[in-house]
Amino acid sequence: GQRSGEPDRGVLMGVGCGVSFPNSIVWIVSPADKDFEEVDDATRNLMPRSWYSHLGAPWYRYSLANGSKIVMRSGHVPDKLKKGRADFIIMNEAQQMKERSFAICRGRIATSAGVVVVCANPPDDPIGQWVGDFAVEAQHGLRQAKYFHLDPLDNPHIEHGPLLAMAKEFDERT
């Protein structure tokens, strides 16, 4: 659901991987270049400045002291994700990306038997319907995947009042 903190949790996992596993390559994939700001800010806020060097726009790349790299990538043009390998990939707002972006990301982790984490809200556009289908299949054990539901009311970093006020105006999914 909205405001459940999935980008922050995804970035936290990515930074945790980069810090815990020297020389690892972490990708944080957003729907487009213009969407890097949220995940770039979250990445920068999770690490002491002495842990990394940072190349800002347009590269959005972190080099960690232990040899790991955290790289922001765009999922807008799926075939541009065919560059190199990754050990851990976060797909932020995956419901705004084509399923092909997910398929290509999965291929990038084959070298290291890594992990792809899909962070998404329920899709409201046909381009992201694959996320909803995949989530249902994962819940029913039809995919080699683990499904986690994040409830925005469990997010301690937001004010719940506005969300609760919306509950009477919209359906549960919205």
Side-chain angles (χ1 to χ4, degrees), residues 14-29:
V15 168
C17 178
V19 169
S20 300
F21 300 100
N23 302 310
S24 61
I25 299 172
V26 176
W27 288 5
I28 301 176
V29 180

Side-chain angles (χ1 to χ4, degrees), residues 99-119:
E99 185 173 15
R100 181 153 172 76
S101 293
F102 176 59
I104 291 172
C105 283
R106 289 176 67 197
R108 301 301 93 207
I109 62 164
T111 303
S112 63
V115 175
V116 177
V117 176
V118 175
C119 299

Side-chain angles (χ1 to χ4, degrees), residues 135-148:
V136 169
E137 292 168 4
Q139 286 174 295
H140 290 94
L142 302 173
R143 291 283 194 150
Q144 186 181 355
K146 183 78 175 158
Y147 173 84
F148 296 94

Side-chain angles (χ1 to χ4, degrees), residues 27-39:
W27 288 5
I28 301 176
V29 180
S30 296
D33 295 352
K34 65 179 175 54
D35 299 314
F36 290 163
E37 183 178 4
E38 177 182 37
V39 291

Side-chain angles (χ1 to χ4, degrees), residues 18 53 132:
S53 60

